[in-house]
């Protein structure tokens, strides 16, 4: 036996790509529309379960995603892949539905200060506005996911009490009938035992609701948090190609957990991510050219664990000398 990959036992983990939204929103360079479309198509071919293609927000707030309509309309739709888009209000929902989004990812923050700085309203105003979105799209059959930013801590307020986070979940799941909830660690404040606690609490209370965990690797705990979430029952993970990303309205924010790093680790451990790693790496290798700088991905630099290297040029001499000494 040469592999100890029994832990995952083929358990399905849905990998959800957010690089084209969470990633590109944080970039100063505008990635041309055609190239965004090609990137999404490459991600579809790589086998991601869901792709957050773009955001239907104010183009003044996030100019990098001002081509949201065109991107979502012109991508190739692979069967089985869910194409989702971030939406902050009714205006965004109308634009996303017209552009044939499969799912709307509604966003508000679990922390009042972050909600005010990111969305310019109180949490109560956000909830009222998002409830209006849910009512407006009900007849279209488009699915609703709700992302709760700062669910593991707020850079301005500190810890957000677990009962508060769960109460926002309750309002979206029980009152508004959301199909899924994403607990977002917007600024990398989550740590593994906390992740296990919140994941378990959610899973126990809403076993039939899709739960996604969304981590940023700001303090190097990203992969540890991913594994803690999986152990506690999570089966959906957001991640971004190359590890790019970060909320422009959260002080100190930085990249998401890196899709190719998570897929690489989970595959070794015996989980079924459905992702073709060589194809994913080929897509990731395009990123520095698209955004004009290096990306955090370790796998892109180091290669996969068993991408072996040739021995040194003078290896035969070294071996002969070592043999002559024995
Ligand atoms: N799509 C396009 N334009 C939109 C829009 C949407 N979904 N929502 C608002 N706008 C436009 C309005 O038309 C208005 O434009 P104008 O200045 O030309 O008249 C402008 O944005 C301001 O609208 P207003 O309703 O006053 O909203 P606001 O200033 O309170 O902004 C947000 C609220 C949330 C819509 C805006 O700040 C935003 O889109 N922020 C981006 C949030 C984000 O993506 N954060 C990172 C991811 S979590
Ligand atoms: Zn994020």
């Amino acid at each position: 036996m040469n592999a100890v990959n029994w832990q995952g036992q083929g358990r399905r983990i849905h990998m959800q790509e957010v690089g084209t939204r969470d990633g590109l929103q944080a970039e100063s360079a505008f990635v041309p529309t055609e190239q965004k479309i090609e990137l999404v198509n490459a991600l579809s071919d790589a086998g991601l379960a869901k792709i957050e293609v773009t955001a239907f927000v104010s183009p003044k707030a996030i100019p990098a995603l001002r081509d949201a309509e065109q991107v979502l309309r012109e991508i190739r739709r692979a069967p089985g892949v869910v194409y989702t888009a971030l939406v902050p209000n009714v205006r965004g929902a109308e634009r996303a539905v017209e552009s044939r989004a499969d799912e709307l990812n509604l966003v508000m923050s679990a922390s009042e200060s972050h909600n005010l700085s990111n969305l310019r309203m109180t949490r109560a105003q956000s909830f009222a506005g998002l409830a209006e979105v849910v009512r407006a799209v009900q007849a279209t059959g488009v699915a609703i996911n709700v992302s709760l930013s700062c669910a593991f801590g707020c850079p301005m307020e500190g810890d957000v009490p677990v009962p508060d986070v769960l109460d926002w979940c309750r309002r979206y799941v029980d009152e508004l009938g959301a199909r899924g909830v994403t607990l977002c660690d917007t600024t990398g404040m989550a740590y593994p035992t906390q992740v296990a606690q919140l994941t378990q609490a959610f899973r126990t209370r809403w076993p039939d609701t899709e739960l996604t965990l969304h981590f940023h690797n700001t303090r190097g705990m990203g992969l540890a948090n991913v594994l803690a979430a999986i152990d506690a029952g999570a089966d959906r993970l957001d991640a971004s190609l190359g590890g790019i990303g970060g909320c422009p309205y959260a002080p100190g924010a930085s990249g998401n957990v890196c899709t190719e790093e998570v897929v690489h680790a989970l595959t070794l451990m015996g989980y079924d991510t459905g992702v073709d790693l060589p194809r994913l790496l080929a897509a990731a290798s395009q990123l520095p050219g698209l955004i004009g700088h290096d990306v955090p991905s370790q796998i892109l630099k180091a290669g996969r664990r068993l991408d072996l290297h040739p021995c040194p040029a003078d290896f035969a001499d070294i071996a002969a000398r070592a043999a002559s000494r024995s």
Side-chain angles (χ1 to χ4, degrees), residues 13-142:
I13 302 292
H14 298 82
M15 291 302 303
Q16 309 180 156
E17 176 61 44
V18 298
T20 41
R21 195 278 302 169
D22 208 338
L24 296 187
Q25 81 183 7
E27 295 298 327
S28 47
F30 179 78
V31 174
T33 307
E34 268 313 308
Q35 293 180 350
K36 285 186 182 125
I37 293 168
E38 273 171 32
L39 183 60
V40 174
N41 290 346
L43 292 165
S44 294
D45 291 342
L48 276 310
K50 190 187 277 191
I51 301 174
E52 189 158 310
V53 177
T54 186
F56 289 90
V57 295
S58 156
K60 278 189 204 145
I62 311 278
L65 302 180
R66 61 179 182 262
D67 54 2
E69 273 90 352
Q70 196 182 346
V71 175
L72 195 55
R73 281 201 192 119
E74 295 186 12
I75 52 170
R76 191 162 27 76
R77 310 265 173 145
V81 180
V82 175
Y83 297 93
T84 188
L86 185 124
V87 159
N89 53 19
V90 171
R91 170 92 188 278
E94 287 165 357
R95 293 173 59 207
V97 169
E98 271 168 34
S99 311
R100 300 195 296 120
D102 296 326
E103 177 191 274
L104 307 185
N105 185 20
L106 309 185
V107 59
M108 74 165 262
S109 186
S111 121
E112 191 78 358
S113 318
H114 184 255
N115 205 70
L116 279 165
S117 31
N118 187 28
L119 300 171
R120 306 185 183 286
M121 34 188 157
T122 65
R123 289 173 298 174
Q125 287 163 340
S126 271
F127 182 80
L130 296 180
E132 205 188 317
V133 171
V134 173
R135 279 191 292 274
V137 301
Q138 223 145 33
T140 66
V142 175

Side-chain angles (χ1 to χ4, degrees), residues 285-309:
S285 68
Q286 306 294 315
L287 263 184
L290 290 182
I291 59 179
H293 60 83
D294 199 11
V295 295
S297 172
Q298 301 287 326
I299 300 296
L300 212 50
K301 296 185 188 80
R304 291 166 296 177
R305 174 174 172 270
L306 290 179
D307 288 344
L308 302 183
H309 300 269

Side-chain angles (χ1 to χ4, degrees), residues 140-162:
T140 66
V142 175
I144 298 287
N145 185 78
V146 177
S147 278
L148 276 181
S149 307
C150 298
F152 298 91
C154 163
M156 293 161 277
E157 288 179 19
D159 278 324
V160 179
V162 169

